Amino acid sequence: MAEENYQQRTLRFEAERKAYLARGERVGRARVACALAAAGALAAGWESRLIPWRLGVGLAAALVVMFLICVFLQRRIRADADRCATLAKLNRQGVARIHRRWKELPAPQAPAEFEAAPLARDLDLFGRASLFQLACTAATPQGRATLARWLLHPAPAAEIVERQAAVRELAALLDWRQEFEFRGSTDGGHFEDPAEFLAWAEGPAWLKGRPALSVYSVVAPVMLVVAAVLQGVGWLALPWWGVFLLANIAVAGLTMRHIHGVFTRVSTGEQPFERYAALMQWASESAFQLPLLARLQQRLRVDGRDAAAQLRALQRLVTLADLRYSSTVYGPIQALSLWNVHVLRGIESWQRHAGAHARDWLAALAEFEALASLASLAHAEPAWVDAQMHDEPKLEAQRLGHPLLPAAARVDNDVELGPPGAFLLITGSNMSGKSTLLRSIGVNVALAQAGGPVCAAALRIPPLVLGASIRVQDSLEEGTSLFMAELKRLKQIIDEASAGRALYLYLLDEILHGTNSHERRFAVRAVLERLLAERAIGAVSTHDLDLADTPLMTQAARAVHFRETIVETPDGPKMTFDYQMRQGMATTTNALVLLELVGLAKRPKEG
């Protein structure tokens, strides 16, 4: 069981952390003892004359070496303890993921443009207690954006099948995935948006268009040194080296603003360079069986060198550029050698050889992160299955459940949508499970077409374009009423269905409830007739039991319902739901019972 595995690993890593901390305390005491003993040896040799002073100095030197070794060991031990703490936290999050304890999972950080999508709001794809929060383990902005894009935009069927296989391979590699997560751990600071860095990497080299400056930066420092040496040996009477020094200062002043700007663009997010490199190294050096993962690994190599090595080489150059932050050292070195230009030459050499590949490295790493995220979900939910892709224009699901509900609270139902010309009409009273069923269908389709596992015993789907109108809101800012907001959403759904990109799947929940029942019934029928004419498939929930009383609706609708159980007790009515879908139209309502349950009014007595 995944939960038991996570719990055992949590205990193991917590125990290892305690052992490391205890070892670190012992090394820390040894470090203090070495420092005191070194001081004592010096004192004994120099002042007390208890031992020969050479022996005292030798002992002190040996103890200082031991002190430095203790410092190094303590730093390593602290890093190992922190690693164990992070791995223990990741396993606790694994348990929280299984039980849907949202407060214990990392806050969702999907890009804003994805969160604003209407489908995302309808299906709880992003935000708190969402599918994204449940699945995402990606650390980089590109990884999170890739997973978000996969959830919103379906992949071709062949690509879905490839992702499914890769997810299953990674799901079995728990140690690999958690090491991958650890290397991307953002406890030391968040990954910055690399847009500025990528724009520089793919842009023109500044020095390339200034060959005179490049030549001068080499010749001038040499001539300065030569002039200084010649004056020192008496061959030159005048300090000609000062001319070169003043010229260097002038050139440095004229070029500083632009070169420092380049340094800033390159080093945006410098801190994550090592974490990017660590992630890429772990992904590229691991052994995988499937072609998709092998292709991603190949994208992390260029010109015989791994992307990780290339990034570390750039980081070393950026470290040299950071000399500009040292006020005491930078000025003299810059004046004497034109340090900025030499560092920029090295950075632009990296740009020419590796810059064009940087975007693809980040994209390949992002796909690794997205696949690892879906694999974490597959590991946490071993009973979930991969959707089977087929070409028939219908969806068939056995024991379909809502992925955001824990297994203990979830009720599964068999669902069939299609073929074109038919729709599922879901009726039932308030709170009985109609909206949950619609979201169960939508979220599982989104998961399936991202390549992830689905909350079902079996799911067969064709390539689908998904649209929904479940959670529509009015807008004071735009001056849009609820009814108009729903109309706009429905117009968008019909336009998407008529685009003909793929079979369209619509999910409509109590639509157009912002108007009177007579006009609403007419409008809903008009919408459904348009969708049926576009050969779309879908499901519609409603309280309106008269919706299917026209010949077209009667022929097209396959009615199912949910129901409640009301028990009269001395304290008033009690209502329960089993959330089981049944065939046929609903025969009961519960609005008046709910009114009485919340204490607003008594139901009228029958008869």
Side-chain angles (χ1 to χ4, degrees), residues 8 21 23 67 89 175 197 211 238 284 297 330 354 388 402 455 510 589:
Q8 290 175 351
L21 292 176
R23 188 183 307 171
F67 172 84
K89 180 183 71 175
D175 286 327
F197 166 74
L238 298 176
S284 63
Q297 287 182 311
Y330 173 68
Q388 297 179 2
H402 198 307
C455 181
E510 297 289 350
T589 59

Side-chain angles (χ1 to χ4, degrees), residues 526-587:
V527 169
L528 290 175
E529 287 173 1
R530 286 290 304 274
L531 290 170
L532 290 170
E534 298 296 344
R535 308 294 291 168
I537 65 173
V540 180
S541 73
T542 184
H543 283 97
D544 189 349
L545 303 183
D546 296 327
L547 181 64
D549 63 358
T550 64
L552 176 62
M553 293 295 103
T554 301
Q555 182 179 5
R558 184 170 65 84
V560 296
H561 71 277
F562 293 92
R563 68 187 181 196
E564 73 288 335
T565 300
I566 302 174
V567 179
E568 297 290 344
T569 70
D571 297 327
K574 300 293 182 183
M575 186 182 309
T576 60
F577 303 93
D578 61 11
Y579 305 111
Q580 289 290 341
M581 190 176 72
R582 296 172 172 83
Q583 299 299 315
M585 298 286 288
T587 57

Side-chain angles (χ1 to χ4, degrees), residues 22-45:
R23 188 183 307 171
E25 289 180 1
R26 293 194 295 271
V27 173
R29 289 193 292 269
R31 185 184 70 175
V32 172
C34 288
L36 294 175
L42 286 175

Side-chain angles (χ1 to χ4, degrees), residues 216-238:
Y216 177 83
S217 67
V218 175
V219 173
V222 173
M223 295 301 295
L224 187 154
V225 172
V226 170
V229 170
L230 292 178
Q231 185 185 16
V233 298
W235 289 10
L236 288 177
L238 298 176

Side-chain angles (χ1 to χ4, degrees), residues 48-69:
S48 304
R49 302 297 181 181
L50 297 176
I51 57 175
W53 68 270
R54 288 187 177 86
L55 178 60
V57 172
L59 285 173
L63 288 167
V64 168
V65 171
M66 293 178 64
F67 172 84
L68 295 176
I69 291 173

Side-chain angles (χ1 to χ4, degrees), residues 9-25:
R9 291 170 66 87
T10 300
L11 294 174
R12 184 186 111 201
F13 288 122
E14 287 177 343
E16 290 180 5
R17 176 177 177 271
K18 290 179 181 178
Y20 280 123
L21 292 176
R23 188 183 307 171
E25 289 180 1

